[in-house]
Amino acid sequence: MKKIGWDKNCYYIDGKPVFLACGEFHYFRVPRKDWRKRLELWKETGGNCVATYIPWILHEPVEGDFRFGDIPERDLEGFLTLCAEMDLFAIVRPGPYVYSEIVHAGLPPWLIENYPDLLLQAIDGRTFPESGVVSYLHPLFLEKAKKWYDKICPVIAKYCLSRGGPIAFAQVDNELAGIQIWLSGGYDYNREAMGIGREGGRYPCYLENKYRTVEAMNRAYSTDFAFFAAAEPFAGSPAEDGQRRRVKDYEDFYFTAIGEYALTLSGWMDSYGIDCDIVHNSPNPDSNTWVTETAAAFIKKGKPFLLGSDHYYTLNQDWAQNNPTPQYGVRMFYSFEILRLMGYPPSVFEMPGGSPSDWPPIQKEDLECCYFLNLAMGMKGFNYYVFTGGPNPLGIGATGEIYDYNCSVSATGEIRPTFEAQKNFGLFLKENSWLAAAERHVDFHIGYVKAYTRSAKWFGSEKKRFSNSAAWEFVRKGLIPCAFGSSLSPALADLESREFLEDLSKPLYIASAASMPAGAQKKAAEFLRLGGKIIIGPVFPELDEELNPCTILRDAAGAGPSGKLIAPWPLINTTGGSPVSGVMIETPLYQSPAPQGAETIAVLNPSAAHYGAPGGSPVGWYKGYESGGALIYLGAWFSYGLLTQGAMLRSFLFRLAGTKPLVECDNPNIWTSLFRSGDKSALFVINHYSSRARASVKIEKDRRVCFEKRDLILEPMEVKRIVVDQ
Amino acid sequence: MKKIGWDKNCYYIDGKPVFLACGEFHYFRVPRKDWRKRLELWKETGGNCVATYIPWILHEPVEGDFRFGDIPERDLEGFLTLCAEMDLFAIVRPGPYVYSEIVHAGLPPWLIENYPDLLLQAIDGRTFPESGVVSYLHPLFLEKAKKWYDKICPVIAKYCLSRGGPIAFAQVDNELAGIQIWLSGGYDYNREAMGIGREGGRYPCYLENKYRTVEAMNRAYSTDFAFFAAAEPFAGSPAEDGQRRRVKDYEDFYFTAIGEYALTLSGWMDSYGIDCDIVHNSPNPDSNTWVTETAAAFIKKGKPFLLGSDHYYTLNQDWAQNNPTPQYGVRMFYSFEILRLMGYPPSVFEMPGGSPSDWPPIQKEDLECCYFLNLAMGMKGFNYYVFTGGPNPLGIGATGEIYDYNCSVSATGEIRPTFEAQKNFGLFLKENSWLAAAERHVDFHIGYVKAYTRSAKWFGSEKKRFSNSAAWEFVRKGLIPCAFGSSLSPALADLESREFLEDLSKPLYIASAASMPAGAQKKAAEFLRLGGKIIIGPVFPELDEELNPCTILRDAAGAGPSGKLIAPWPLINTTGGSPVSGVMIETPLYQSPAPQGAETIAVLNPSAAHYGAPGGSPVGWYKGYESGGALIYLGAWFSYGLLTQGAMLRSFLFRLAGTKPLVECDNPNIWTSLFRSGDKSALFVINHYSSRARASVKIEKDRRVCFEKRDLILEPMEVKRIVVDQ
């Protein structure tokens, strides 16, 4: 077996940059007699790795009665041996949870039946035995799970790469926190596991570690708990800041506990000599930051950890789309950006290979579009879920007797049209493996504040202050699609990391809430002081991450406190430069008094002046600073839908920093993404609609056109790839 | 001008069945100098009618200062004269509300500024002045609105068809209740208008009319109000049946008040001699039944009234789809069915002509698919919103200075690609005007209970009983798409109307909740007694519409009370006939003890037997009755996604009534719809996906293939039309 490694840029096989091309292949579903044939088919698509769950329910159906290799469906070692023989890496996923449309989400049924104490508890004490939702850190659960790990880890260790086996990565548990949050509606409040109300319990210890004194905690919470162990989590929707802090702290504590659980599982693996890197799969783009504390815990322990995300577009009729729409593309984009900022080569550990539903159908053109779209948005590795399936053994299947999943290779081994999509994709990756190490071109940065992605429960929506979630929504539904629709290529910049301070040439758009961590405010202020260019709005932050007063950034800009502007049908006009008239934006609208010498660059359109502020009211200003830095404040935010919004964004970036898109596409519906490595470039031109489209693209540098393609015709759901060697 | 009429089947011009082909054309936006040219373009698409709002805000900008014809943008009469000259019918929509992306939703700004008392009040007393949400029945609002009608109605009357003008229909207000519900989050609780707490007020009178005695009301509500005028609406989510009845009654009262408002406006029109029929536009398929009481009020007054629905698929990135998906098709289908059952020729009073957003884009192929899809689902008339626009006059535009709406003819008169879609559609309708009077083929009926569509707030979701909303969801997301995906053509049958009793040949699938109106239960029982065939599930009703005990239907079937079956991962097997194995369904699952002599036809799949009922537990039975009637009870419901669900549905319909689809399509993703009139047939074959598809269709009657087309190739978003004369 070759060596496999990774860094923040990409994966490497024997030191050469590659795409991780993995396919989910369940030894317990695919008939053993068909393994070889189907693995050959997998390799035909360019696959270099397979992944499989190892379901606890299958190998310990009765407590204490462990079974391996007694029937073909339990011949894990035979499977791993074959993978090594066929030169395929393997990712093993031994749970405890696996989900995978297996009953009890893969936990053995005797677990909850016999040990109901280990169930998760909702804040009101309810448990969910039917849904099999356990409390990860309950000592009973850890005890039973360890016994499972005691049996499975030696097997995994035996087949690690270091020992000549195929196992390159091992995943702890599955979509951590997912089953708890989705099925209980909230976090784990199991008193035993979380130590609520118990001296020395995890929760009181977390609080003590954070606040040091009970007085400080009570001040933050507006409570009068006598000691840390008396603290109870806040139930319900928080209505004032003390309650908000309690909800936020419990959430952060909860995810810290998740991290402890993950590290515990990893520690068990260590103790059996499993020396491959640990991976994990966030359930979807909006859950990537659930794994923040877990990632930090692994770093602190000096243990390699690689987080990927799961990127389905439809698994049933209720999903937001039947095929890869631009909105799906936006979510994939910020998912990859978040993973990149966390230090990982952006990976899709569950890329659609099919669907558990027959309808809406998974279609070849859609799948191919999905794959190339993910690639265009920054993907460096993927795992098709699933590549192929087969009969569900021993009644463990939750969705039927056969796990066909409408894959490219059916449960009975037939090749479906979607196989061609996988082959096409694999061929492209093989012919362009240089792309794995290539960099995506970026025109400007959009500020990223991790806390904004995790504020829905404590600062999600509020009438008085512009909330964290609203700011993140401005990024997701406003700035990102607006950028792509205006030929601009954005990237997220982590405001709490120093990296963005190193590139002053790229202007930075900060979608800011009333709250922003002090560290982020400091770095943004430093960016300005170093000569950086910022657009910020719709408000200047006035609070830090604990909702305590903090105006570092506002002070650095010399601005006054942001206040709401009444304008029920807000249209704004930009002034100066290339003015844009009648840009529609969302309510609420804001104003922040400008520093001396600032120039008004946006005003309320007179037609908007009904029952509110008068037309001409200033809503944005531009200010140049002595440091060479410059700042545009715009008291508006928007959900992208209008070309005028794009024109406004472009005019501000140009005004601020002379920024123009490197790649210009004349069709605003057709989005592009450019990658470069040395002399090679790959331009992706994306038509994620159901109609044929025409678009012209050109690349202009220093007023010289160095690349142009006129009147490209793109088929429905086509992602054109233009690879250039120059 | 010709004569125009309508009945429950279709529209008629000079007695000949036609499609109403209307286009929204705002005299106040389209430049007057361009009216003729653009109306000619409209006629080129086959249009026979235009519709326009008459914005109150435009014609009475200052209270008491009415302006007509002083500027081109207010030249309503010039416009109507031109329509008559060009032989185009007109639908006028004088509000008071018009929405139409006009500030204050079209109300004059002085109205709310000067008369804040007339604002809607939420149940907690909050008002929404910024959003311009008035209380329709507030005496002040009616007073000011009447003054507007006093001025506009004589103009409308002058141009009615009966007087040689073009006006065929007049619409009262716009999307009634919409602005109130969307912007206040609930209904109107304005105490003055609704008479809450006032002797002789509307609300107490409604209650008295319903309950007769305060004691009866208090029994129903579990309250102790001293008299009717003391009754207060219930705030919050109801948790027990008394509260549920209070919420339901207020909702029904609210929509009755809506009806009173609509009738009042219509009465004013009458008094000025406006003699054309009144129309109205429900905002979307799920709001059609908001207009139930309004429709009844008009019928009671003997005044013609025609309700249509508004059928957009995307107006911004947050809509459920970017183009006409099958899920959109399902909503259009039940929208038309509901309108048909209400006695109207199904009409789309706002059919997408464009979008206020530039992105997601409105594309030619999508629009054409949308039009033909609506036709295939039963449409008999439409109004493109909008056909063409122009500058927003006098700052009344809420979304910009130009109302372009991305229509087929731009604000400056340029013809866009989507114009071709409208021409293609218009040409088809013209060449096939016989279709207007054609009947859609139906294989089986799905029971329709009006109350189920209006239960979200009072019996929307419940753990203990299968709720009304869940039953309606089973229809919308389960039975309808499953039918289409299985080559079956369904129609809704109103269980509270005698019509379905006249056709015993068609089996009837009743998606039943724990509650079902006594009248519906009686008719379903009668259907069985007459020899009809019923499938019912997942429960037998045990309550009537007032949530009082009622087991008429269950008793007629001879079944026992429905109880939940614990089965967290439910799969069922059908037995007998063409058995289907491992059909996945939703939880909860139910059982209802069968009458003597019933035969088990569905059981729990053994693999589902985890932490719950054992495998083999019966979940469905078949019973034949002496009357010749037969009933299948199935304790399961599902959201459509699997071919096994379709196979199960088909096997049950065949078992019950020998029903087979008349039209068989071999591709389950491709849906069909067949219309017939005399010797002519039109078969629609629908590919509402982004990939090309292949499908074979055939029509078999009495074991004889009378029509067949093999291997049709359908382009992305294509609706093939196969017209046959035989």
Side-chain angles (χ1 to χ4, degrees):
Chain A
M1 292 294 303
K2 305 189 174 106
K3 286 191 188 313
I4 185 166
W6 58 277
D7 64 15
K8 63 184 175 70
N9 291 319
C10 62
Y11 293 84
Y12 303 87
I13 291 178
D14 281 349
K16 180 176 177 288
V18 293
F19 288 93
L20 179 72
C22 191
E24 190 84 12
F25 194 112
H26 296 156
Y27 63 92
F28 53 93
R29 280 165 165 151
V30 183
R32 184 167 64 181
K33 60 176 174 55
D34 296 332
W35 288 350
R36 182 180 292 276
K37 188 159 63 169
R38 298 209 201 163
L39 288 171
E40 292 288 3
L41 283 172
W42 172 235
K43 292 174 79 171
E44 238 184 270
T45 72
N48 51 31
C49 185
V50 292
T52 184
Y53 286 117
I54 306 176
W56 184 2
I57 184 178
L58 183 64
H59 291 283
E60 193 186 1
V62 173
E63 188 172 7
D65 178 16
F66 291 93
R67 297 173 173 234
F68 292 93
D70 57 330
I71 52 175
E73 292 81 359
R74 284 195 272 247
D75 189 13
L76 172 60
E77 296 203 42
F79 178 69
L80 294 171
T81 302
L82 181 59
C83 289
E85 184 194 316
M86 294 181 68
D87 215 30
L88 283 163
F89 294 110
I91 301 178
V92 292
R93 321 213 259 171
Y97 272 112
V98 300
Y99 305 176
S100 192
E101 289 75 44
I102 291 175
V103 292
H104 300 285
L107 303 179
W110 51 261
L111 184 70
I112 290 162
E113 262 175 57
N114 298 347
Y115 306 100
D117 285 347
L118 50 68
L119 287 166
L120 165 145
Q121 286 167 9
I123 197 167
D124 59 9
R126 276 182 308 147
T127 62
F128 306 82
E130 285 172 37
S131 310
V133 192
V134 307
S135 182
Y136 297 126
L137 288 171
H138 194 282
L140 254 178
F141 179 69
L142 291 174
E143 181 191 314
K144 304 303 175 189
K146 179 156 201 308
K147 289 197 169 129
W148 161 237
Y149 263 50
D150 285 342
K151 285 290 185 289
I152 188 58
C153 288
V155 178
I156 294 173
K158 187 168 154 192
Y159 290 88
C160 278
L161 273 177
S162 62
R163 296 181 190 90
I167 296 178
F169 300 100
Q171 176 180 300
V172 290
D173 206 76
N174 192 58
E175 294 183 346
L176 279 164
I179 194 170
Q180 295 192 335
I181 292 172
W182 303 327
L183 296 189
S184 80
Y187 304 130
D188 189 359
Y189 298 87
N190 182 294
R191 298 184 78 84
E192 170 73 43
M194 302 311 240
I196 301 168
R198 187 159 50 81
E199 199 67 50
R202 287 183 170 92
Y203 181 49
C205 286
Y206 180 90
L207 295 175
E208 181 161 9
N209 191 53
K210 174 165 183 168
Y211 291 104
R212 302 295 174 192
T213 68
V214 178
E215 291 73 29
M217 178 179 77
N218 282 326
R219 265 198 310 275
Y221 287 177
S222 303
T223 48
D224 54 9
F225 295 121
F227 36 88
F228 284 114
E232 289 289 322
F234 177 79
S237 289
E240 52 85 23
D241 287 354
Q243 295 169 353
R244 288 191 184 87
R245 292 183 193 101
R246 287 171 71 184
V247 173
K248 174 181 184 296
D249 283 347
Y250 197 88
E251 177 173 310
D252 293 348
F253 158 66
Y254 169 76
F255 286 117
T256 303
I258 294 291
E260 186 189 334
Y261 169 59
L263 211 56
T264 300
L265 296 174
S266 165
W268 296 341
M269 287 188 168
D270 281 355
S271 71
Y272 284 98
I274 293 171
D275 55 3
C276 57
D277 293 347
I278 302 298
V279 297
H280 193 71
N281 58 341
S282 151
N284 58 59
D286 297 304
S287 306
N288 291 356
T289 52
W290 288 0
V291 193
T292 304
E293 286 80 354
T294 300
F298 274 78
I299 287 174
K300 194 166 167 189
K301 274 271 195 211
K303 295 160 68 72
F305 177 81
L306 203 173
L307 177 71
S309 196
D310 296 345
H311 282 185
Y312 298 105
Y313 57 83
T314 180
L315 298 181
N316 61 48
Q317 63 167 288
D318 293 320
W319 280 62
Q321 59 282 310
N322 290 349
N323 56 13
T325 58
Q327 291 96 317
Y328 166 85
V330 167
R331 294 196 294 277
M332 301 310 106
F333 172 76
Y334 67 72
S335 180
F336 287 140
E337 285 294 287
I338 289 172
L339 294 173
R340 182 180 64 78
L341 292 174
M342 288 173 93
Y344 308 120
S347 308
V348 187
F349 283 150
E350 287 179 32
M351 176 79 95
S355 167
S357 299
D358 302 322
W359 182 84
I362 295 296
Q363 306 193 303
K364 179 179 80 163
E365 291 79 4
D366 292 341
L367 260 195
E368 194 165 325
C369 177
C370 172
Y371 300 156
F372 281 104
L373 178 62
N374 272 267
L375 182 66
M377 293 293 112
M379 183 195 76
K380 297 301 176 86
F382 66 90
N383 174 39
Y384 291 137
Y385 194 92
V386 288
F387 173 66
T388 186
N392 278 313
L394 303 171
I396 69 170
T399 57
E401 296 176 335
I402 311 280
Y403 198 63
D404 179 86
Y405 215 82
N406 293 292
C407 315
S408 65
V409 178
S410 81
T412 48
E414 285 156 53
I415 295 171
R416 293 196 169 110
T418 49
F419 184 74
E420 200 184 310
Q422 295 175 343
K423 277 211 300 186
N424 290 345
F425 188 55
L427 184 63
F428 181 84
L429 295 181
K430 180 174 165 187
E431 290 176 345
N432 294 280
S433 54
W434 63 271
L435 254 182
E439 268 199 41
R440 193 175 62 85
H441 167 71
V442 175
D443 290 311
F444 78 108
H445 283 145
I446 296 172
Y448 168 70
V449 177
K450 186 184 310 140
Y452 287 179
T453 70
R454 281 230 320 232
S455 297
K457 292 192 194 305
W458 60 275
F459 196 24
S461 73
E462 213 191 272
K463 285 208 176 295
K464 294 207 174 105
R465 301 172 296 192
F466 195 69
S467 71
N468 287 359
S469 295
W472 180 231
E473 182 175 322
F474 180 24
V475 170
R476 293 184 294 116
K477 292 164 82 181
L479 296 177
I480 293 175
C482 185
F484 279 113
S486 316
S487 292
L488 289 161
S489 188
L492 297 187
D494 185 348
L495 295 184
E496 292 172 283
S497 155
R498 297 198 61 80
E499 214 175 298
F500 77 98
L501 296 171
E502 289 156 25
D503 185 358
L504 299 175
S505 69
K506 289 195 174 49
L508 168 66
Y509 201 131
I510 301 178
S512 171
S515 152
M516 185 185 291
Q521 294 197 40
K522 278 185 195 138
K523 290 184 180 62
E526 190 179 342
F527 186 69
L528 199 57
R529 270 197 306 275
L530 290 170
K533 315 289 195 279
I534 291 177
I535 305 175
I536 183 167
V539 297
F540 278 98
E542 61 199 50
L543 308 164
D544 65 14
E545 64 269 38
E546 300 294 326
L547 302 180
N548 293 321
C550 178
T551 57
I552 293 172
L553 180 51
R554 198 177 83 202
D555 297 340
S562 307
K564 267 195 213 178
L565 202 62
I566 304 296
W569 304 276
L571 301 174
I572 63 178
N573 299 341
T574 69
T575 58
S578 316
V580 189
S581 183
V583 185
M584 193 169 87
I585 52 173
E586 298 286 325
T587 51
L589 188 58
Y590 295 88
Q591 265 174 336
S592 295
Q596 278 265 323
E599 175 198 332
T600 300
I601 49 90
V603 296
L604 255 196
N605 184 301
S607 81
H610 296 266
Y611 199 88
S617 299
V619 298
W621 44 261
Y622 167 94
K623 166 82 179 152
Y625 299 85
E626 274 176 28
S627 64
L631 183 140
I632 284 176
Y633 165 76
L634 182 68
W637 64 289
F638 56 89
S639 183
Y640 178 58
L642 301 170
L643 298 178
T644 46
Q645 293 156 350
M648 177 173 74
L649 175 63
R650 286 182 65 142
S651 78
F652 284 172
L653 290 171
F654 184 72
R655 170 71 196 266
L656 200 59
T659 299
K660 284 209 285 200
L662 180 67
V663 181
E664 283 275 10
C665 177
D666 71 341
N667 183 337
N669 301 321
I670 304 302
W671 296 357
T672 63
S673 183
L674 176 69
F675 292 80
R676 289 174 298 188
S677 182
D679 286 337
K680 291 177 125 98
S681 305
L683 179 67
F684 294 89
V685 187
I686 307 159
N687 180 30
H688 27 27
Y689 305 94
S690 43
S691 288
R692 181 178 287 166
R694 183 218 59 77
S696 297
V697 291
K698 91 178 146 175
I699 295 178
E700 214 172 290
K701 247 188 147 163
D702 307 318
R703 299 213 181 103
R704 193 178 61 85
V705 175
C706 42
F707 173 87
E708 190 168 13
K709 286 272 184 199
R710 290 201 186 162
D711 296 323
L712 292 168
I713 302 298
L714 298 104
E715 294 306 307
M717 305 308 292
E718 180 183 356
V719 180
K720 237 185 227 320
R721 292 87 65 177
I722 306 173
V723 180
V724 177
D725 252 302
Q726 44 173 194
Chain B
M1 293 294 303
K2 305 190 175 106
K3 289 192 186 313
I4 184 166
W6 59 275
D7 64 15
K8 65 183 175 71
N9 291 320
C10 62
Y11 293 84
Y12 304 86
I13 291 178
D14 281 349
K16 180 174 175 290
V18 293
F19 288 93
L20 179 72
C22 190
E24 190 85 12
F25 194 113
H26 296 158
Y27 64 93
F28 54 93
R29 281 166 163 150
V30 183
R32 183 167 63 182
K33 60 176 173 57
D34 297 332
W35 288 350
R36 182 180 294 275
K37 188 159 62 166
R38 299 212 200 160
L39 289 171
E40 291 289 2
L41 282 172
W42 172 234
K43 291 175 80 172
E44 238 184 271
T45 73
N48 51 30
C49 183
V50 292
T52 184
Y53 286 117
I54 307 175
W56 184 2
I57 184 177
L58 183 65
H59 292 283
E60 192 186 4
V62 174
E63 189 173 6
D65 179 16
F66 292 92
R67 299 174 171 232
F68 293 93
D70 58 330
I71 52 176
E73 291 83 359
R74 284 196 271 249
D75 188 11
L76 172 61
E77 294 202 44
F79 178 70
L80 294 171
T81 302
L82 181 59
C83 289
E85 185 195 315
M86 296 181 67
D87 217 30
L88 284 163
F89 294 110
I91 303 177
V92 292
R93 321 213 259 171
Y97 272 113
V98 299
Y99 306 174
S100 193
E101 289 74 46
I102 292 174
V103 292
H104 298 285
L107 302 179
W110 50 260
L111 184 70
I112 290 162
E113 263 173 57
N114 300 347
Y115 305 100
D117 285 347
L118 50 68
L119 287 166
L120 165 146
Q121 285 167 9
I123 197 167
D124 59 8
R126 277 183 306 148
T127 61
F128 306 83
E130 286 172 34
S131 309
V133 193
V134 308
S135 183
Y136 297 126
L137 288 170
H138 194 282
L140 254 178
F141 178 69
L142 290 174
E143 182 192 312
K144 304 302 175 189
K146 181 160 199 304
K147 289 194 170 133
W148 161 237
Y149 264 50
D150 285 341
K151 286 290 186 290
I152 189 57
C153 288
V155 178
I156 296 172
K158 187 168 152 191
Y159 291 87
C160 279
L161 273 177
S162 60
R163 297 180 190 90
I167 297 177
F169 300 100
Q171 176 180 300
V172 290
D173 207 75
N174 192 59
E175 292 183 347
L176 279 163
I179 195 169
Q180 295 192 334
I181 292 173
W182 303 327
L183 296 191
S184 80
Y187 303 130
D188 188 0
Y189 298 87
N190 182 295
R191 298 185 79 83
E192 169 73 41
M194 302 311 240
I196 301 168
R198 187 159 49 81
E199 199 68 50
R202 288 182 170 93
Y203 180 49
C205 285
Y206 180 91
L207 294 175
E208 181 160 10
N209 191 54
K210 172 165 184 168
Y211 289 106
R212 302 295 171 190
T213 68
V214 179
E215 291 73 28
M217 179 179 77
N218 281 326
R219 265 197 312 275
Y221 287 176
S222 303
T223 48
D224 55 9
F225 295 120
F227 36 87
F228 284 113
E232 289 289 322
F234 177 79
S237 286
E240 51 86 23
D241 287 354
Q243 295 169 353
R244 289 192 183 85
R245 293 183 190 100
R246 286 170 74 184
V247 173
K248 174 183 183 295
D249 283 347
Y250 197 88
E251 175 171 313
D252 293 347
F253 158 65
Y254 168 76
F255 287 118
T256 303
I258 295 289
E260 184 189 335
Y261 170 60
L263 212 55
T264 300
L265 297 173
S266 165
W268 295 341
M269 288 187 167
D270 281 353
S271 71
Y272 284 97
I274 294 171
D275 56 4
C276 57
D277 293 347
I278 302 299
V279 297
H280 192 71
N281 58 341
S282 152
N284 58 62
D286 297 303
S287 306
N288 292 356
T289 51
W290 289 359
V291 193
T292 303
E293 286 80 354
T294 300
F298 273 78
I299 287 173
K300 195 166 166 190
K301 273 272 193 209
K303 294 160 68 70
F305 177 81
L306 204 174
L307 177 70
S309 196
D310 297 345
H311 282 185
Y312 299 106
Y313 57 83
T314 180
L315 298 180
N316 62 48
Q317 62 167 289
D318 293 320
W319 280 62
Q321 59 282 310
N322 290 347
N323 56 15
T325 59
Q327 292 95 317
Y328 166 84
V330 167
R331 294 195 293 277
M332 302 310 106
F333 173 76
Y334 67 72
S335 180
F336 288 140
E337 284 294 286
I338 290 172
L339 294 173
R340 181 180 65 78
L341 292 174
M342 288 173 92
Y344 308 120
S347 308
V348 186
F349 283 149
E350 287 179 31
M351 175 78 96
S355 166
S357 298
D358 303 322
W359 181 84
I362 296 296
Q363 305 193 304
K364 179 179 79 164
E365 291 79 4
D366 293 340
L367 260 194
E368 194 165 325
C369 177
C370 173
Y371 300 157
F372 281 104
L373 177 62
N374 272 267
L375 183 65
M377 294 292 112
M379 184 195 76
K380 296 302 176 86
F382 66 90
N383 174 39
Y384 291 137
Y385 193 92
V386 289
F387 173 66
T388 186
N392 277 314
L394 305 171
I396 68 169
T399 56
E401 297 176 335
I402 312 280
Y403 198 63
D404 180 87
Y405 216 82
N406 292 291
C407 317
S408 64
V409 177
S410 82
T412 49
E414 285 156 52
I415 296 171
R416 293 195 168 111
T418 49
F419 184 74
E420 200 184 310
Q422 295 175 344
K423 276 210 300 185
N424 290 345
F425 187 56
L427 184 64
F428 181 83
L429 294 181
K430 181 174 164 185
E431 291 175 343
N432 295 280
S433 54
W434 63 271
L435 255 182
E439 266 199 43
R440 192 175 64 84
H441 167 71
V442 176
D443 290 312
F444 78 108
H445 284 144
I446 297 173
Y448 167 69
V449 176
K450 188 184 310 139
Y452 288 178
T453 71
R454 278 223 332 224
S455 297
K457 293 193 193 304
W458 59 276
F459 196 24
S461 73
E462 214 190 270
K463 286 210 177 292
K464 293 207 174 105
R465 300 171 297 193
F466 194 69
S467 72
N468 287 0
S469 295
W472 181 231
E473 182 176 322
F474 180 24
V475 170
R476 294 183 294 116
K477 294 163 84 180
L479 296 176
I480 292 174
C482 184
F484 279 112
S486 316
S487 291
L488 288 160
S489 187
L492 298 186
D494 186 349
L495 296 183
E496 292 172 284
S497 154
R498 297 199 61 79
E499 215 176 299
F500 77 97
L501 296 169
E502 288 155 25
D503 186 359
L504 300 175
S505 70
K506 289 196 174 46
L508 169 66
Y509 201 132
I510 300 178
S512 170
S515 150
M516 184 185 290
Q521 294 198 41
K522 278 186 196 136
K523 291 185 180 61
E526 189 178 343
F527 187 70
L528 198 59
R529 269 196 308 276
L530 290 170
K533 314 290 194 280
I534 290 177
I535 305 175
I536 184 168
V539 297
F540 278 98
E542 61 200 50
L543 309 164
D544 65 13
E545 63 270 37
E546 300 294 326
L547 302 180
N548 293 320
C550 178
T551 57
I552 294 170
L553 180 51
R554 197 177 83 201
D555 296 339
S562 306
K564 267 198 214 175
L565 201 62
I566 304 294
W569 304 275
L571 302 174
I572 63 178
N573 298 340
T574 69
T575 58
S578 315
V580 189
S581 182
V583 185
M584 192 169 87
I585 52 172
E586 298 286 326
T587 50
L589 189 57
Y590 295 87
Q591 264 174 338
S592 296
Q596 278 265 322
E599 174 198 331
T600 299
I601 50 90
V603 296
L604 254 196
N605 183 300
S607 80
H610 296 267
Y611 200 88
S617 299
V619 298
W621 44 261
Y622 167 95
K623 166 82 179 156
Y625 299 86
E626 274 175 26
S627 65
L631 183 140
I632 284 177
Y633 165 75
L634 182 69
W637 64 290
F638 56 89
S639 182
Y640 178 57
L642 301 171
L643 297 178
T644 46
Q645 294 157 348
M648 177 173 75
L649 175 63
R650 285 182 65 142
S651 77
F652 284 171
L653 290 170
F654 184 74
R655 169 71 195 267
L656 200 60
T659 299
K660 285 209 284 199
L662 181 66
V663 181
E664 283 274 12
C665 178
D666 72 340
N667 183 337
N669 301 320
I670 304 301
W671 296 357
T672 63
S673 183
L674 176 70
F675 292 80
R676 289 174 297 188
S677 180
D679 286 338
K680 291 176 126 100
S681 306
L683 178 66
F684 294 89
V685 186
I686 306 159
N687 179 31
H688 27 28
Y689 306 95
S690 43
S691 290
R692 180 177 289 164
R694 182 217 59 76
S696 297
V697 291
K698 96 180 142 173
I699 296 177
E700 214 172 291
K701 247 188 146 166
D702 306 319
R703 296 212 183 103
R704 195 177 61 86
V705 175
C706 42
F707 173 87
E708 189 167 13
K709 287 273 185 198
R710 289 200 187 164
D711 296 324
L712 292 167
I713 301 299
L714 298 103
E715 295 304 308
M717 306 308 291
E718 179 183 359
V719 180
K720 240 187 224 318
R721 292 89 64 180
I722 306 174
V723 180
V724 177
D725 253 301
Q726 44 168 197

